[in-house]
Amino acid sequence: MSQPTDYSPEETAKTFGLLPEEYSQVVKYLGRIPNFTELSIYSVMWSEHCSYKNSIKWLKTLPKKGPAILAEAGEENAGLVDIGDGLACAFKIESHNHPSAIEPYQGAATGVGGINRDIFTMGARPVGQLNSLRFGDPNSERTKWLLKGVVKGIGDYGNSFGIPVIGGEVYFDESYNQNPLVNAMSIGIVETHKTISAISEGPGNPVFIVGSSTGKDGIHGATFASGDLSDDSADDLPSVQVGDPFQEKLLLEASLEIADTDCIIGMQDMGAAGITCSTSEMSAKGECGMDIYLDRVPTRQKNMLPFEILLSESQERMLVVVKKGREQGVLNIFDKWDLNCVEIGVVTEGNQLRYFMDDKLVAEAPADSLVLGGGAPVYEREYTEPAYFAKAQAFDQSIVKQPTDLKEVAQFLIGHVNIASKRWVTDQYDSMVGTINMSTNKPSDAGIISIKGTNKAIAATVDCNARYVYANPEEGCAMAVAEAARNIVCSGGKPAAITNCLNFGNPYSPEAYWQFVGAIKGMSKACLAFKTPVTGGNVSFYNQSTIDGKTVPVLPTPTIGMIGLIESKEHITSLAIAKTGLNLILVGEHSDDISSSQYLIQYHKEQLSKSPNFDLDKEVQMQSALLAIIQSGLVSAAHDVSDGGLFTTLLEMTTTYGIGVEVNISAEGRLDGFLFGESQSRVMVAIEDDKLDQFKKEMEKATVPFSMLGKSKGDSIKINDINFGTISNLYDTYSNALHKMMS
C-alpha cells in the first residue's frame, strides 16, 4: 500500500481534520491501523460537507413526507415531486461558498454545474436555475471583485449549458466580506417511469466512470468546505474545481439517452469527494461492495496517486452501474457523444469497498462505515442563546424619530443595493434560452416554467432574509418559508415542497449552533403549516472568516428554495399593473412595525432589533384566500410586501408599464412604518371594478382583512397627496443603483 515514508497515522488524521475519537473509530471499523489512502477516504467522507455529522440529528426532525413526494430527503441526489400527467419535478439547492470566496468565477460556475448534474443524474432534464447570493460591504473593492466573478461564472456556465435563470436574490452585508454565499438551485422535469436511482446492486455488474477525465483539481474540496476561511485560504486554490459547461451538456444528453434504455442499475454524480463518495454511497444504499481499479480511470495528469484519483472533484463525471451483458449499449451511447466511458470495477457481495492500483490493493473499507446514516459520526452540539438576542427583543421603535421628508427616505431606499433592481446581475444571465420560461416578459413574484405538453406550469423561488433570522432564528426562518410560499401563491401556484441551503457559522460555537437549531425549529413549523415537505438540500457550516485573529461569522442564512404547481396557465399572475383604473388593495393586516426593516437598518443605522411582526396562522389563512381569488380570475396583479415595505412594492408593480398610482393611507400609527416597514403576511393586489364586489365577498367569507388604498392612474406615485415622483424618474434611481456601484 502506497503512503509517505514519514507517515504517522495519528498526525495525518489530525492534519486531515479527523478528531482523535474519530480516528479511533476508523481503527475499530478496519480492525487495524489505516494507511494514508484510507485516512484520506475517511477524512473526506466524515467531513462536515459529506457527513452532516453536526446537523443530521436536527435535520431528521424536519417534515419529509407528503402524498406527492416520490423521493424523500436523503434518498436520492435531489428531491422528486409528482406533478401529475406521469411527470415529476426534481429540484435541489446547494452551496459553493468557500470555493467562490477563493476563486469566484470557477467556484460559482462549478456550483451551477454540480447542482444541474444532481438533477439529470436522476433522469430529469434541467429546465430552470435560480441562485441566492450574499456579498459584503458594497463599497469594498473585494466585494466588487467577488460579485463580478460569481455573476460571470454563473452566467457563462448557465448560458453555455443552455438552461435559463428564472429567479434569485442578491444581498449585501458586511458579515459576508470575506465569506460570500453562493447557493445554486436547479429544477428539472422527468417522466416518473424513467427516474434513475443512485444505487449499486447485483454482484458481477460492471461499474463505469463516464464523462470527463480525472485531474488534480478539487482534491480535499469537501474538507476545505468544512473549515474556516483565513488569510491563508488563497493557498487552497487546488481545492477549487474547474468546470466545462460544453462537456456537461454532452454528459446531460448522454445521461438522458441511457435513461431511456434498460441498460443501467444506477447512476450518481461525482461531486464532493469524487469517486470515494459515489462508490461508497451507491454501495451502502444497495448493501453491496465494489472492487475499483484506479489505474483504469482516465486521468488528465500522469502518475496520479491513488488518493488523488479517489478524492479528485473534477467536474462533469458520473459513476454508472451497468447490467452485466448490456455494456455495449452504454459504450455506444457515450461514444456517440464523444465522452469517456470506461469500466473501472465490478459490484461485489458483502459491503467491502476495495480499491486497487496496478493490481495492488491500496485501500479497503466497509461502505456503510463511510456514509451518512451508516458509520459516519453523529453529534449534537451544545447551544446557548447569545447575549444580543435579549437586546434585540427589547428594541423599542418609539426611540426612532419619524422623518419629516418621506420623499427623501423613499429615494434613499430604492437606491440602496439591497432593495434596488438587480438588473446589473440578471442582464448577464440568459433567461430566454429555450422556450419554457414564462416570467421574463411578464414578471411575477416567482419564476415560471411551462411544463410542455400540459396546461400546467412550475413556479419556483429562493428566499431568505438573514436579518430576520439573526434577530430571531426560529421566527426568521419561518418567515423565509412563508415568503417563499407567498411568492408562489402571488404567481398563481400552490406551494408543493422545499429544498434548503443552510448557511451558518462554526457548529462548535454554541451561539452559532443556537441559531441553527432555532432555524430548523422555525422551518419545521412553517413547512407543516404550509404542507410543504422538505425534500433535501445542503448544510454549509463554517461560514465565517478568521481575519487578523478575529472570527467573523456571516449572518445566519437558511435559504429556502420552493416549488409550486400552477394547475392551469390561466392562473399565472403578474406583479405588474397593466392598465389604469384598477383598484389597489392591501390584503392582510398591517402592523405598525419597522423592526429589522431595511429602512431601520440602512436609513436609521439601527443594526439590532427584533424580527418583524409575524403570525403564522394568519399567514396561512391569507395565502389560502389569496390563491382562491387568483384561481377564480379576480386578480389582475399581485405582489407581496417584503424588502423596502409597501412603497417598494408599489414601485415594482408600476415600472413594467409606467402606470402610476394614487394611494390614501388612513391607518393609525407611523406613516413611515406603513410605507417602509416590513411586517409580514401582506400582499398588494390590483382588482378590476367589475370584480371588486366578488373580491370583497370572498375576503369577508375567508375573514381575511383588507384595505382599499387607491387606484392605478397617472404616471407618478402619489401617497396622501405627497407626489413621490414620476415612475420614470423613480425607476431610474431603482434600476441603476447597482450599475453605479459597479462602475
Side-chain angles (χ1 to χ4, degrees), residues 325-342:
R326 304 300 303 273
E327 297 91 338
Q328 195 59 48
V330 174
L331 286 165
N332 289 343
I333 289 172
F334 281 91
D335 181 66
K336 168 187 170 182
W337 293 101
D338 195 26
L339 293 167
N340 288 322
C341 182
V342 179

Side-chain angles (χ1 to χ4, degrees), residues 205-221:
N205 283 327
V207 179
F208 283 75
I209 190 170
V210 303
S212 294
S213 297
T214 297
K216 294 186 180 184
D217 54 313
I219 294 173
H220 274 294

Side-chain angles (χ1 to χ4, degrees), residues 370-383:
L370 295 167
V371 300
L372 169 69
V378 176
Y379 303 118
E380 183 173 1
R381 297 296 171 196
E382 295 181 358
Y383 53 94

